[in-house]
Amino acid sequence: MKKILSILFLVTVFVAGASAQQLEKLFEKYMEDERFNYVYQKKPSTLDRWSDMAGNLDVMILDKSTTSLGRQMLTLNSADKSLDESFTREVDNALKADKYEQISIVRNGKNRVETYEKTTDKGIAKVSFIKNPGNIMVTLNLYAPRK
């Protein structure tokens, strides 16, 4: 009986861990694909942090509570509409699987920008998902509490 419970516990932990990192797996999957531009930045500068805060001066001046753990960006470079649609579906599914909360939507015609956020025990993950016809981009910014 102890073996069965131990196995069930390990399977549960594995499934929870596997589903909790779908977005990171998406970056790993496409980072070497020639149809995508991939950018990784270990420690963004202060100016990059300010742009993450969308120009909110109060936050830029007062928020010293987190430190950046880096950012990743994937941009699809393909005129293939089916690839556009499948990549968009993959990102949407990864965000749902990782339990990101949608915090804003901006739409202008067919152009759309969605922002997501998730707080974990390690810090905060922020995602911008830009859906423009012929230009799909996803960015992932990771922050940890400042010690």
Side-chain angles (χ1 to χ4, degrees), residues 83-93 129 131 136:
L83 180 58
D84 248 18
E85 292 168 357
S86 69
F87 181 63
T88 298
R89 256 190 325 276
E90 279 187 88
V91 174
D92 283 332
N93 290 339
F129 188 20
K131 304 176 192 178
I136 307 295

Side-chain angles (χ1 to χ4, degrees), residues 56-114:
N56 185 338
L57 189 59
D58 294 336
V59 174
M60 287 189 279
I61 293 170
L62 301 173
D63 184 15
K64 306 248 188 280
S65 62
T66 61
T67 184
S68 175
L69 297 176
R71 75 174 51 188
Q72 296 181 73
M73 181 186 330
L74 268 178
T75 306
L76 177 58
N77 293 320
S78 176
D80 183 358
K81 189 169 180 133
S82 66
L83 180 58
D84 248 18
E85 292 168 357
S86 69
F87 181 63
T88 298
R89 256 190 325 276
E90 279 187 88
V91 174
D92 283 332
N93 290 339
L95 290 167
K96 286 176 188 169
D98 289 348
K99 296 182 172 70
Y100 277 88
E101 177 186 2
Q102 189 173 51
I103 58 173
S104 72
I105 299 172
V106 177
R107 188 193 59 75
N108 182 8
K110 292 183 180 182
N111 301 325
R112 186 176 179 103
V113 178
E114 299 172 357

